[in-house]
Amino acid sequence: AAEAAARAAGSNVAIAVVDANGDLVYFHRMDGAAGQAVTSSQGKARTAILFGVPTTVVAQAGAAGTALSLTLTPSGAAAQPLQIQQGGLPLIRAGQVVAGIGVGGASPAQDEVFAQAGIDALLNA
């Protein structure tokens, strides 16, 4: 669904999904997506699960100097880069962060729209 939304918008992106430990469980790079979209999408997905909020919230808090707490999970997330930029969303079930999706390669606002399309498809499945 995230890819379909990106394609409909004429964007070529990378899409990453990580589990609650930050381990990559799905990755897709659309033809024509920039190389930096690979790292960006994965970093956004990990940031979303570590903070448990959309990455745009993390970026806004950082810019405002607002303190945020995060949940460190010793696994893949601890050894990988984070991306503090709009485009990553946590998937929350029964109050628990169970996964994160990150999209990179379009504008940060578009990346978040595409990630939301992926979340919506999972929640409506």
Side-chain angles (χ1 to χ4, degrees):
E3 179 181 359
R7 196 171 304 284
S11 297
N12 297 316
V13 299
I15 303 159
V17 177
V18 298
D19 65 14
N21 292 322
D23 295 318
L24 188 65
V25 294
Y26 175 82
F27 177 77
H28 177 66
R29 179 180 175 193
M30 294 173 66
D31 289 341
Q36 68 189 27
V38 173
T39 307
S40 175
S41 64
Q42 293 177 29
K44 289 176 184 182
R46 287 188 182 95
T47 301
I49 62 118
L50 286 172
F51 287 93
V53 296
T55 54
T56 189
V57 172
V58 179
Q60 290 168 348
T66 304
L68 282 177
S69 63
L70 70 122
T71 303
L72 285 177
T73 309
S75 181
Q80 301 293 327
L82 302 178
Q83 181 77 29
I84 311 295
Q85 186 180 47
Q86 191 173 10
L89 299 172
L91 176 60
I92 300 172
R93 293 274 177 131
Q96 297 292 317
V97 177
V98 297
I101 182 172
V103 178
S107 73
Q110 286 178 305
D111 289 344
E112 185 170 302
V113 168
F114 306 150
Q116 187 65 56
I119 294 280
D120 290 346
L122 286 172
L123 295 177
N124 295 320

